[in-house]
Amino acid sequence: MTKAKKPKLLQGNIACAMGAIKAGATFFGGYPITPSTEIAEYMAAQLPKAGGRFMQMEDEIASIGAIIGASCVGHKSFTATSGPGFSLMQELIGYACNAEIPIVIANVMRSGPSTGLPTLPAAQDVMQARWGTHGDHSIIAISPYSVKETYIQTIKAFNLAEKYRTPVIILMDEKIGHLREGFDVSDDEIPEIIQRKRTLDKENYIPYENTPSMVPEFIPLGCGARYHITGLTHNEKGFYTQKSDEVEKFLFRIYDKIEKNKEDICEYEMFEMDDAEVVIVSYGSVARSAKEAVSKLRASNVKAGLIRLITLWPFNDTLIYEKCHGKKLVLMPEMNLGQLSLEVERAIKDTPFYSLHGAKADLIDPKVMADKVISLLKERGEV
Amino acid sequence: MEKKFNITINSAWCKACGICIFLCPKNVFDADDEGKAVVKSLEKCIGCLSCEVHCPDYAIEVVEVQND
Amino acid sequence: MQTAYKKYFRDNLPHIWCPGCGNGIVMGAFARAIEMLDYDKDEVLVVSGIGCSSRITGYLDFNTLHTAHGRALAFATGAKVAEPRLKTFVIMGDGDAAAIGGNHFIHACRRNIDITTIIINNNIYGMTGGQFSPLTPKGRKATTAPYGNIDRSFDIVDLSKGAGATYIARGDVFHAFRLSYLIAEAARHKGFSVVEAVSTCPISYGRHNKFKGAADMVNYLKKRTIALNRASRMNPEALEGKIITGIFYESEDEEYCDAFERLEASVKKGARK
């Protein structure tokens, strides 16, 4: 019997679910919502075979509550949703930030606001992923731009969640979620999976110890460490505190543990950037069009390059500044009315910046991007 | 043979709510000037533990005295 | 002799609850119930929501999880399904359980997951200073019902039964020993168990409703509560304004984690085909 061949064409949502199982997720709590439901369906069918448990909860708040509960008692846990559900999950995303509970949330973005266009793509939840929940916190958000990358980045999302004890959000737009394309992942492309510790091997465990790494060791409840987890701001032992010095130390720690580790966390791809005089900054499915636009511009000898952000949050402003300052201009196409482009514009400081807003609930045509660059260069008398 | 009991009150934890004083079937307790429970007539205690089980602050302990 | 229950408390007492607050009595009753059950501390998980009563998890020496307002059952469901070995308790206030948490409550009942839920019903939102809740009787006063509450209130026993809970009991803080027994029986029951613990809030509820303090409120429960077996022999008029306590409902149905094991067995069997 020949070895089962890897599926030729695979859907993005399925690749995400497969990545979660590969990463060792053993609990999924979710609620049906277009365009992410295929992830829940796959988990319902495959998780039991992988020694895990799938639950369809009564709503998205229950879904994220359940996965935080499962993570607290030792299980890598996962949920998938889209805009309306993502909005409902915000309060408890903040809980996972405060209590530092590793969870992964796939948000397959559709055009909003509100019910919007459930089956059409957008990237209108990018700022929500960063600031949707109340209170100062940091967060990790990743935007894959292919089916294969969705699989790999989902595995990395679980690793980052474990390593930094934080929620990690996978921001796929509907096109990536529903796209079917070739999927051949060689073993060496699969990142090493961070296993979760499930036993306590020392005397007194301080659950929120302020270590130099800024990330306390996470021993789940019920694994020999009988301690207290709360969404109230807490001291190193995990109990409520309102002492200002403890509060300050806490807030800076949960913020800095991510914001000060951008080198380790942030991933990006440079495409034709070595001699680029014009830069396109992009992410997600729009970046596929941007690559095409760069080639078109190169064909009409405009030295264009692309910075494709894979990690959106934390936002790597130093990288963007280094790569963009001094260029003739920077263009940022986005499937929204300007969200991450606000960060890019802030980061590149004095370099001329233009954004190209996509509000058609559809991909942005490479030709539109290329023409925009050329018209801008003309306007600026650069060509 | 009549049982004897000893009652200890942790006045640091007692919040003077008056529940024990009210519920004690034998009026063993009295309220001090802060309203906190004090043992007035220990000998009347029948060890029913109503005080201990109703104290919201676990400030009362009733222990049977084992006479040797 | 009796003080063995204190081994289930952490060393961060005295607690923050007001003088005469029923939460302290319930926490004592809960600890006594665990003592009756003789559970190992490491195998007990206690999950609470937000509100005065939900601060209980901070004081109990178990695996404790203090979640968000109304969401304790969602967290507890995920934890229990993932780790069925954990003896899981959820402790919430009346607003926590029946208002914002109402949807999770009825679905947890429906699933019949082996969780013991204690709803500490003091008829008020205490933490926020005395607003009415879905369990506040009609006519009672609160800071948000200055002219008397016009909302009809739930009967948690009926609501739990309608939603599918398979053990339903109501106790009160006057009958504190009995409350421990009801909690222990709830924990012994395999399936979703609900214990409504009728409690007192002298500061937020008592003062707004002409009670003369903590003792008066406990006395009110002493006079108003009536055991189910006696009540069932009385006509409705005589039961007017009475609080009926006892075990109202007990039935057997497949427990949710058992259903998972059944599913996993069939998947394994199917895979071998």
Side-chain angles (χ1 to χ4, degrees), chain A residues 152-379:
Chain A
I152 291 167
Q153 285 299 330
T154 298
I155 296 168
K156 288 188 176 175
F158 277 89
N159 281 348
L160 288 167
E162 294 298 317
K163 185 174 180 184
Y164 290 98
R165 284 191 67 167
T166 176
V168 174
I169 299 162
I170 304 167
L171 288 173
M172 302 147 65
D173 59 64
E174 178 275 331
K175 273 298 171 275
I176 302 294
H178 282 159
L179 172 70
R180 277 188 174 76
E181 64 183 359
F183 175 82
D184 48 5
V185 180
S186 56
D187 289 345
D188 55 20
E189 286 176 297
I190 296 173
E192 204 212 328
I193 289 161
I194 295 179
Q195 299 304 342
R196 173 177 293 192
K197 250 183 103 176
R198 289 203 52 186
T199 52
L200 178 67
D201 44 26
K202 56 183 177 185
E203 205 27 58
N204 61 5
Y205 169 57
I206 301 174
Y208 292 96
E209 199 172 359
N210 217 335
T211 56
S213 77
M214 295 187 279
V215 185
E217 182 188 30
F218 178 51
I219 302 295
L221 291 177
C223 301
R226 205 172 53 243
Y227 64 97
H228 185 57
I229 293 178
T230 179
L232 282 168
T233 297
H234 39 270
N235 55 33
E236 290 187 280
K237 287 214 173 63
F239 292 100
Y240 173 58
T241 180
Q242 54 188 57
K243 294 198 187 93
S244 48
D245 56 340
E246 284 179 342
V247 169
E248 186 176 49
K249 222 182 286 167
F250 172 80
L251 281 177
F252 270 109
R253 181 174 66 72
I254 62 168
Y255 193 80
D256 290 344
K257 74 178 178 181
I258 291 171
E259 296 292 327
K260 292 214 161 97
N261 278 303
K262 288 177 182 177
E263 280 67 40
D264 180 50
I265 297 169
C266 293
E267 284 190 53
Y268 49 85
E269 177 195 357
M270 295 294 154
F271 177 72
E272 306 261 25
M273 280 294 290
D274 298 344
D275 62 346
E277 294 170 347
V278 166
V279 176
I280 298 180
V281 179
S282 187
Y283 59 89
S285 52
V286 173
R288 301 169 76 117
S289 314
K291 274 193 175 174
E292 180 62 24
V294 163
S295 310
K296 278 188 191 310
L297 287 164
R298 290 267 171 183
S300 43
N301 51 55
V302 171
K303 291 200 174 85
L306 164 69
I307 302 173
R308 180 172 74 86
L309 294 173
I310 299 168
T311 311
L312 305 190
W313 308 111
F315 183 74
N316 199 336
D317 33 19
T318 34
L319 166 90
I320 293 293
Y321 177 75
E322 261 163 43
K323 297 289 178 187
C324 291
H325 87 276
K327 302 293 182 192
K328 286 183 181 165
L329 64 85
V330 174
L331 175 75
M332 182 157 188
E334 251 190 312
M335 279 198 289
N336 55 45
L337 299 184
Q339 292 194 24
L340 205 64
S341 50
L342 299 171
E343 295 287 319
V344 172
E345 184 170 22
R346 176 182 60 77
I348 61 173
K349 298 190 173 66
D350 45 19
T351 309
F353 175 81
Y354 303 90
S355 50
L356 177 57
H357 299 154
K360 294 185 167 65
D362 196 1
L363 299 177
I364 300 173
D365 186 330
K367 191 175 177 313
V368 168
M369 293 183 197
D371 294 349
K372 175 80 175 177
V373 167
I374 289 169
S375 73
L376 285 169
L377 287 173
K378 279 194 184 116
E379 226 176 81

Side-chain angles (χ1 to χ4, degrees), chain A residues 58 75 95 222 228-230, chain C residues 64 66 83 85 104 111 264:
Chain A
E58 53 269 24
H75 288 253
Y95 181 96
H228 185 57
I229 293 178
T230 179
Chain C
T64 53
H66 182 212
E83 288 294 317
R85 66 187 168 84
H104 310 310
R111 292 195 188 95
E264 281 143 12

Side-chain angles (χ1 to χ4, degrees), chain C:
Chain C
M1 150 185 101
Q2 266 307 330
T3 56
Y5 68 90
K6 289 193 175 175
K7 66 174 181 279
Y8 297 115
F9 295 156
R10 287 187 170 122
D11 55 14
N12 49 8
L13 290 172
H15 54 61
I16 57 154
W17 294 316
C18 307
C21 169
N23 287 328
I25 304 172
V26 174
M27 182 157 94
F30 179 77
R32 287 190 186 84
I34 300 294
E35 195 190 359
M36 287 182 211
L37 295 160
D38 194 24
Y39 284 161
D40 173 349
K41 287 183 182 182
D42 279 327
E43 58 174 2
V44 174
L45 171 69
V46 187
V47 186
S48 64
I50 291 292
C52 296
S53 53
S54 288
R55 294 297 290 277
I56 195 167
T57 39
Y59 304 112
L60 291 169
D61 186 14
F62 303 112
N63 299 293
T64 53
L65 183 49
H66 182 212
T67 68
H69 192 40
R71 312 306 173 190
L73 272 168
F75 281 67
T77 298
K80 180 68 178 179
V81 165
E83 288 294 317
R85 66 187 168 84
L86 294 172
K87 310 267 198 250
T88 304
F89 295 84
V90 167
I91 302 177
M92 300 177 286
D94 39 312
D96 211 13
I100 185 169
N103 194 28
H104 310 310
F105 179 70
I106 56 175
H107 287 277
C109 291
R110 172 177 64 83
R111 292 195 188 95
N112 195 33
I113 186 166
D114 192 12
I115 289 175
T116 298
T117 295
I118 300 165
I119 300 174
I120 302 178
N121 177 15
N122 59 3
N123 297 143
I124 200 83
Y125 283 93
M127 179 70 83
T128 39
Q131 301 73 39
F132 70 96
S133 85
L135 303 187
T136 303
K138 221 178 186 179
R140 287 294 191 181
K141 294 273 178 64
T143 59
T144 44
Y147 309 111
N149 178 27
I150 57 169
D151 281 42
R152 297 166 74 226
S153 54
F154 281 133
D155 178 314
I156 281 292
V157 170
D158 295 343
L159 184 66
S160 310
K161 175 120 188 5
T166 50
Y167 172 97
I168 306 168
R170 175 184 293 129
D172 65 285
V173 291
F174 172 70
H175 299 92
F177 273 122
R178 181 130 179 71
L179 182 58
S180 299
Y181 169 77
L182 294 174
I183 293 170
E185 279 302 288
R188 291 191 188 101
H189 172 79
K190 183 159 191 174
F192 194 70
S193 310
V194 180
V195 177
E196 179 188 0
V198 179
S199 183
T200 58
C201 170
I203 300 302
S204 288
Y205 189 75
R207 271 190 314 185
H208 290 119
N209 289 286
K210 299 190 184 60
F211 285 94
K212 293 190 286 304
D216 185 28
M217 297 192 81
V218 174
N219 188 41
Y220 177 82
L221 291 182
K222 179 179 176 183
K223 284 207 245 99
R224 288 302 182 100
T225 50
I226 184 163
L228 180 59
N229 43 27
R230 271 189 58 223
S232 46
R233 293 194 300 274
M234 294 163 64
N235 54 53
E237 297 72 34
L239 291 175
E240 194 57 43
K242 290 285 184 196
I243 302 166
I244 304 170
T245 63
I247 299 176
F248 283 76
Y249 183 70
E250 228 174 329
S251 75
E252 293 304 323
D253 199 352
E254 184 180 43
E255 191 274 333
Y256 196 57
C257 294
D258 287 354
F260 263 105
E261 276 163 26
R262 180 164 54 81
L263 177 147
E264 281 143 12
S266 68
V267 166
K268 217 170 261 132
K269 204 153 93 291
R272 269 200 303 280
K273 261 216 279 323

Side-chain angles (χ1 to χ4, degrees), chain A residues 60-70 92, chain C residues 71 74-76 78:
Chain A
E60 285 90 349
I61 301 172
S63 301
I64 186 165
I67 70 167
I68 296 176
L92 294 187
Chain C
R71 312 306 173 190
F75 281 67

Side-chain angles (χ1 to χ4, degrees), chain B residues 1-38:
Chain B
M1 226 292 278
E2 230 188 60
K3 287 200 186 125
K4 288 272 170 293
F5 297 92
N6 200 1
I7 301 172
T8 49
I9 293 177
N10 176 350
S11 58
W13 283 16
C14 170
K15 291 178 184 159
C17 72
I19 289 178
C20 60
I21 299 168
F22 175 79
L23 287 182
C24 175
K26 295 295 177 185
N27 292 323
V28 167
F29 299 101
D30 205 349
D32 68 12
D33 46 26
E34 284 181 304
K36 292 193 176 193
V38 287

